[in-house]
Amino acid sequence: MMREGARVRLDYSAQSLWRVDRVIEEIRREGPPYDAVRETLRGLGAYAGEVIVRQAGAEWWASGGDHWIRTPDGRLWDPVEEARRCYGGHGSLRLLCRDALG
């Protein structure tokens, strides 16, 4: 779903999630059906999860086919679901990361 030449620089920094939120917003404005972008959103959510893992010293958790991030304080985060919420206009991967790191 990412357009060729989009030149989105993703370096696993918390700041890169601003760009990811904007990419999701641009996709949302184009109006494709959710099924057409499901895997793209999953990938962007997984990227955000990896940012949290690297920045917070967190770890991936999996159960029943679902994947979460567990931060050192024991809280669980679902960046893939947050990417879906972003697509619906009600979430932010940047803010999820901020909260997880906070």
Side-chain angles (χ1 to χ4, degrees), residues 1 4-9 16 18 22 26 45 47 57 60 62 66 68 73 81-82 89-90 96 100:
M1 184 67 196
E4 286 184 38
R7 297 184 187 183
V8 177
R9 183 169 185 250
S16 70
W18 282 88
R22 281 186 297 212
E26 288 172 14
Y47 169 78
W60 283 98
D66 294 321
W68 300 282
D73 61 8
E81 178 59 29
E82 191 67 14
H90 307 290
L96 178 78

Side-chain angles (χ1 to χ4, degrees), residues 3-36:
R3 293 178 186 209
E4 286 184 38
R7 297 184 187 183
V8 177
R9 183 169 185 250
L10 300 178
D11 60 4
Y12 296 99
S13 68
Q15 294 80 13
S16 70
L17 295 177
W18 282 88
R19 290 185 281 285
V20 174
D21 278 348
R22 281 186 297 212
V23 165
I24 294 172
E25 174 61 24
E26 288 172 14
I27 294 169
R28 186 172 73 81
R29 278 187 279 168
E30 291 178 6
Y34 174 76
D35 286 342

Side-chain angles (χ1 to χ4, degrees), residues 40-101:
T40 298
L41 295 173
R42 179 173 153 74
L44 293 171
Y47 169 78
E50 188 61 23
V51 169
I52 295 169
V53 165
R54 292 179 184 202
Q55 298 292 320
E59 62 185 356
W60 283 98
W61 263 47
S63 176
D66 294 321
H67 294 83
W68 300 282
I69 302 300
R70 182 172 183 246
T71 48
D73 61 8
R75 294 182 294 168
L76 293 174
W77 305 87
D78 189 344
V80 174
E81 178 59 29
E82 191 67 14
R84 291 182 194 122
R85 288 177 35 80
C86 289
Y87 183 68
H90 307 290
S92 169
L93 293 169
R94 175 186 59 84
L95 294 178
L96 178 78
C97 181
R98 183 198 68 189
D99 292 347
L101 296 177

